[in-house]
Amino acid sequence: MAGESGLRARGAIFGVLMVVWAVLTACANPYQYYEGTGLHDATKAEVAGGWENVEGTRVVLREDGTAVLEKLDGQDFDFEDGWRLSGTGTWQLTDADGGQVVRLALTARTRVERRIPATATATSAPEPSSTYAWSFYVDRDQHDKLKLFFFYGDPDIGNTYVMTRETGS
């Protein structure tokens, strides 16, 4: 009997440890705690200029640190609200251990649009703030050209919103 109760106790402890491990790792994924691309060689002059994505978003980063945004979607879970912001703002290229990041801040909103088709939560989503901030990771593609991106939606999925150099820029 003593051997059987000890086996049950070890089984119970093992079961509890497995539940704790499952809870601790359930939300962990490589994108949730993304630390950057490791890129450190982009210059402000190289980042300045026009950027676009396939959804019709356009961002112009001027060398003087000002920016013009057209139809830029929200980052992370804000993307699910379905709004797209246009206006003017500021930007800066920062560098940390994980790599370079473009910090873009909308300071004067001129327009709010809804992405079509809107997500289910977007129809009842609150009006976005008149100011907003994005953090774009800086990376290079296979041709050594810069690209900017951020994650959108659920961080467990790892969807990226990619901006490439505007055609003709």
Side-chain angles (χ1 to χ4, degrees):
M1 287 263 178
E4 188 175 317
S5 64
L7 186 58
R8 265 192 243 149
R10 282 190 294 248
I13 290 171
F14 179 73
V16 168
L17 290 174
M18 290 303 293
V19 169
V20 169
W21 178 79
V23 168
L24 291 175
T25 60
C27 295
N29 70 72
Y31 304 108
Q32 189 172 14
Y33 303 107
Y34 188 73
E35 293 185 21
T37 62
L39 185 74
H40 298 283
D41 66 351
T43 65
K44 184 175 180 179
E46 188 179 15
V47 172
W51 296 88
E52 62 188 358
N53 83 355
V54 296
E55 298 295 322
T57 298
R58 182 171 182 263
V59 175
V60 177
L61 304 175
R62 297 182 179 137
E63 288 196 39
D64 67 358
T66 61
V68 177
L69 300 73
E70 295 176 20
K71 301 178 183 178
L72 187 54
D73 294 280
Q75 187 170 337
D76 299 323
F77 282 113
D78 290 339
F79 182 85
E80 303 300 329
D81 290 340
W83 48 256
R84 308 183 87 201
L85 300 177
S86 297
T88 58
T90 60
W91 73 279
Q92 62 180 321
L93 177 63
T94 63
D95 197 351
D97 290 342
Q100 291 174 299
V101 174
V102 170
R103 308 265 184 222
L104 177 62
L106 175 70
T107 56
R109 186 177 77 189
T110 57
R111 190 171 64 243
V112 177
E113 297 177 36
R114 294 288 172 188
R115 188 172 48 254
I116 306 296
T119 60
T121 58
T123 55
S124 61
E127 182 74 10
S129 173
S130 60
T131 61
Y132 193 81
W134 294 263
S135 294
F136 286 90
Y137 294 104
V138 181
D139 202 4
R140 293 193 186 277
D141 66 14
Q142 65 273 21
H143 304 291
D144 206 34
K145 293 182 181 178
L146 282 186
K147 65 179 180 178
L148 308 177
F149 71 94
F150 61 76
F151 293 104
Y152 69 90
D154 186 338
D156 289 333
I157 297 171
N159 292 323
T160 54
Y161 192 94
V162 180
M163 302 287 293
T164 57
R165 186 59 71 180
E166 197 170 52
T167 341
S169 288

